[in-house]
Short mmCIF file of all heavy atoms in Angstrom, two decimals:
data_model
loop_
_atom_site.label_atom_id
_atom_site.label_comp_id
_atom_site.label_asym_id
_atom_site.label_seq_id
_atom_site.Cartn_x
_atom_site.Cartn_y
_atom_site.Cartn_z
N GLN A 495 66.17 -3.39 31.24
CA GLN A 495 64.75 -3.36 31.55
C GLN A 495 63.93 -3.49 30.28
O GLN A 495 64.34 -3.07 29.19
CB GLN A 495 64.36 -2.09 32.28
CG GLN A 495 64.47 -0.81 31.45
CD GLN A 495 64.31 0.43 32.33
OE1 GLN A 495 64.74 0.47 33.49
NE2 GLN A 495 63.72 1.48 31.76
N LEU A 496 62.76 -4.10 30.44
CA LEU A 496 61.77 -4.27 29.34
C LEU A 496 60.48 -3.57 29.72
O LEU A 496 60.01 -3.72 30.87
CB LEU A 496 61.52 -5.74 29.09
CG LEU A 496 60.39 -6.08 28.08
CD1 LEU A 496 60.83 -5.69 26.69
CD2 LEU A 496 60.03 -7.56 28.17
N THR A 497 59.90 -2.85 28.76
CA THR A 497 58.65 -2.11 29.03
C THR A 497 57.68 -2.24 27.88
O THR A 497 58.04 -2.65 26.77
CB THR A 497 58.94 -0.62 29.26
OG1 THR A 497 59.50 -0.06 28.08
CG2 THR A 497 59.89 -0.37 30.41
N VAL A 498 56.43 -1.88 28.16
CA VAL A 498 55.33 -1.53 27.26
C VAL A 498 54.63 -2.71 26.55
O VAL A 498 53.61 -2.50 25.95
CB VAL A 498 55.75 -0.41 26.27
CG1 VAL A 498 54.69 -0.09 25.26
CG2 VAL A 498 56.07 0.85 27.05
N TYR A 499 55.17 -3.92 26.61
CA TYR A 499 54.37 -5.05 26.09
C TYR A 499 53.09 -5.10 26.93
O TYR A 499 53.12 -5.04 28.16
CB TYR A 499 55.14 -6.35 26.19
CG TYR A 499 54.26 -7.58 26.08
CD1 TYR A 499 53.60 -7.89 24.91
CD2 TYR A 499 54.06 -8.38 27.21
CE1 TYR A 499 52.78 -9.01 24.84
CE2 TYR A 499 53.24 -9.50 27.16
CZ TYR A 499 52.60 -9.80 25.95
OH TYR A 499 51.76 -10.90 25.89
N ASP A 500 51.95 -5.25 26.25
CA ASP A 500 50.65 -5.25 26.91
C ASP A 500 49.92 -6.54 26.68
O ASP A 500 49.36 -6.76 25.60
CB ASP A 500 49.83 -4.05 26.37
CG ASP A 500 48.52 -3.84 27.12
OD1 ASP A 500 48.07 -4.78 27.81
OD2 ASP A 500 47.93 -2.75 27.01
N PRO A 501 49.87 -7.43 27.67
CA PRO A 501 49.19 -8.72 27.48
C PRO A 501 47.72 -8.54 27.14
O PRO A 501 47.15 -9.44 26.47
CB PRO A 501 49.36 -9.40 28.84
CG PRO A 501 50.61 -8.81 29.41
CD PRO A 501 50.58 -7.39 28.98
N ASP A 502 47.10 -7.47 27.55
CA ASP A 502 45.68 -7.25 27.24
C ASP A 502 45.44 -7.12 25.72
O ASP A 502 44.34 -7.34 25.24
CB ASP A 502 45.14 -6.02 27.93
CG ASP A 502 44.94 -6.21 29.43
OD1 ASP A 502 45.02 -7.35 29.90
OD2 ASP A 502 44.74 -5.21 30.11
N ARG A 503 46.48 -6.72 25.01
CA ARG A 503 46.37 -6.51 23.56
C ARG A 503 46.86 -7.72 22.78
O ARG A 503 46.87 -7.73 21.54
CB ARG A 503 47.16 -5.27 23.15
CG ARG A 503 46.65 -3.97 23.77
CD ARG A 503 47.59 -2.83 23.41
NE ARG A 503 47.23 -1.58 24.06
CZ ARG A 503 46.55 -0.60 23.43
NH1 ARG A 503 46.17 -0.72 22.20
NH2 ARG A 503 46.26 0.53 24.11
N ASP A 504 47.34 -8.75 23.46
CA ASP A 504 47.88 -9.93 22.81
C ASP A 504 46.79 -10.96 22.55
O ASP A 504 45.71 -10.88 23.12
CB ASP A 504 48.98 -10.54 23.68
CG ASP A 504 50.08 -11.24 22.87
OD1 ASP A 504 49.87 -11.40 21.64
OD2 ASP A 504 51.11 -11.59 23.45
N ALA A 505 47.08 -11.91 21.70
CA ALA A 505 46.15 -13.00 21.44
C ALA A 505 46.12 -13.92 22.64
O ALA A 505 47.02 -13.90 23.51
CB ALA A 505 46.56 -13.78 20.17
N ALA A 506 45.13 -14.80 22.71
CA ALA A 506 44.92 -15.65 23.87
C ALA A 506 46.13 -16.52 24.15
O ALA A 506 46.45 -16.82 25.32
CB ALA A 506 43.66 -16.51 23.69
N GLU A 507 46.83 -16.94 23.13
CA GLU A 507 47.99 -17.84 23.28
C GLU A 507 49.25 -17.07 23.69
O GLU A 507 50.31 -17.67 23.85
CB GLU A 507 48.25 -18.65 22.00
CG GLU A 507 47.11 -19.58 21.61
CD GLU A 507 45.97 -18.83 20.92
OE1 GLU A 507 46.18 -17.64 20.53
OE2 GLU A 507 44.90 -19.40 20.74
N MET A 508 49.16 -15.76 23.79
CA MET A 508 50.27 -14.90 24.20
C MET A 508 51.53 -15.06 23.32
O MET A 508 52.64 -15.22 23.81
CB MET A 508 50.66 -15.14 25.67
CG MET A 508 49.58 -14.76 26.64
SD MET A 508 49.30 -12.96 26.68
CE MET A 508 47.89 -12.85 27.78
N PRO A 509 51.35 -14.94 21.99
CA PRO A 509 52.54 -15.05 21.14
C PRO A 509 53.55 -13.92 21.37
O PRO A 509 54.75 -14.13 21.19
CB PRO A 509 51.96 -14.98 19.72
CG PRO A 509 50.67 -14.25 19.86
CD PRO A 509 50.12 -14.70 21.20
N GLY A 510 53.08 -12.74 21.74
CA GLY A 510 54.00 -11.64 22.03
C GLY A 510 54.89 -11.95 23.24
O GLY A 510 56.11 -11.67 23.21
N ALA A 511 54.32 -12.48 24.30
CA ALA A 511 55.09 -12.85 25.47
C ALA A 511 56.10 -13.93 25.13
O ALA A 511 57.25 -13.90 25.59
CB ALA A 511 54.15 -13.31 26.60
N ARG A 512 55.67 -14.87 24.34
CA ARG A 512 56.57 -15.96 23.95
C ARG A 512 57.74 -15.43 23.12
O ARG A 512 58.90 -15.81 23.35
CB ARG A 512 55.82 -17.01 23.16
CG ARG A 512 56.66 -18.28 22.83
CD ARG A 512 55.74 -19.39 22.32
NE ARG A 512 55.01 -19.04 21.13
CZ ARG A 512 53.69 -18.82 21.09
NH1 ARG A 512 52.96 -18.91 22.22
NH2 ARG A 512 53.08 -18.50 19.98
N LEU A 513 57.46 -14.54 22.19
CA LEU A 513 58.51 -13.94 21.37
C LEU A 513 59.51 -13.21 22.22
O LEU A 513 60.74 -13.37 22.06
CB LEU A 513 57.88 -12.99 20.35
CG LEU A 513 58.82 -12.08 19.58
CD1 LEU A 513 59.75 -12.85 18.65
CD2 LEU A 513 58.03 -11.03 18.77
N LEU A 514 59.04 -12.38 23.15
CA LEU A 514 59.94 -11.59 23.99
C LEU A 514 60.73 -12.48 24.92
O LEU A 514 61.94 -12.27 25.13
CB LEU A 514 59.13 -10.55 24.77
CG LEU A 514 58.54 -9.41 23.94
CD1 LEU A 514 57.51 -8.66 24.79
CD2 LEU A 514 59.62 -8.49 23.44
N ALA A 515 60.09 -13.49 25.49
CA ALA A 515 60.82 -14.38 26.41
C ALA A 515 61.92 -15.15 25.68
O ALA A 515 63.03 -15.30 26.21
CB ALA A 515 59.83 -15.37 27.03
N GLU A 516 61.62 -15.60 24.46
CA GLU A 516 62.64 -16.32 23.71
C GLU A 516 63.81 -15.41 23.33
O GLU A 516 64.97 -15.78 23.41
CB GLU A 516 62.00 -16.93 22.46
CG GLU A 516 61.05 -18.08 22.75
CD GLU A 516 60.33 -18.57 21.53
OE1 GLU A 516 60.45 -17.94 20.44
OE2 GLU A 516 59.60 -19.59 21.62
N LEU A 517 63.47 -14.19 22.90
CA LEU A 517 64.54 -13.25 22.52
C LEU A 517 65.42 -12.91 23.72
O LEU A 517 66.63 -12.93 23.63
CB LEU A 517 63.88 -11.99 21.93
CG LEU A 517 64.82 -10.95 21.29
CD1 LEU A 517 64.10 -10.21 20.19
CD2 LEU A 517 65.34 -9.96 22.34
N LEU A 518 64.79 -12.60 24.84
CA LEU A 518 65.58 -12.22 26.03
C LEU A 518 66.38 -13.39 26.58
O LEU A 518 67.50 -13.19 27.08
CB LEU A 518 64.65 -11.63 27.10
CG LEU A 518 63.95 -10.33 26.73
CD1 LEU A 518 63.17 -9.80 27.92
CD2 LEU A 518 64.93 -9.28 26.22
N THR A 519 65.82 -14.57 26.52
CA THR A 519 66.58 -15.74 26.96
C THR A 519 67.85 -15.90 26.13
O THR A 519 68.92 -16.17 26.66
CB THR A 519 65.72 -17.00 26.86
OG1 THR A 519 64.59 -16.88 27.72
CG2 THR A 519 66.52 -18.24 27.26
#
Side-chain angles (χ1 to χ4, degrees):
Q495 68 191 34
L496 174 69
T497 63
V498 176
Y499 162 68
D500 187 342
D502 287 349
R503 298 173 184 261
D504 211 349
E507 298 79 13
M508 296 291 175
R512 185 168 59 252
L513 168 65
L514 290 168
E516 290 173 354
L517 187 151
L518 295 185
T519 298

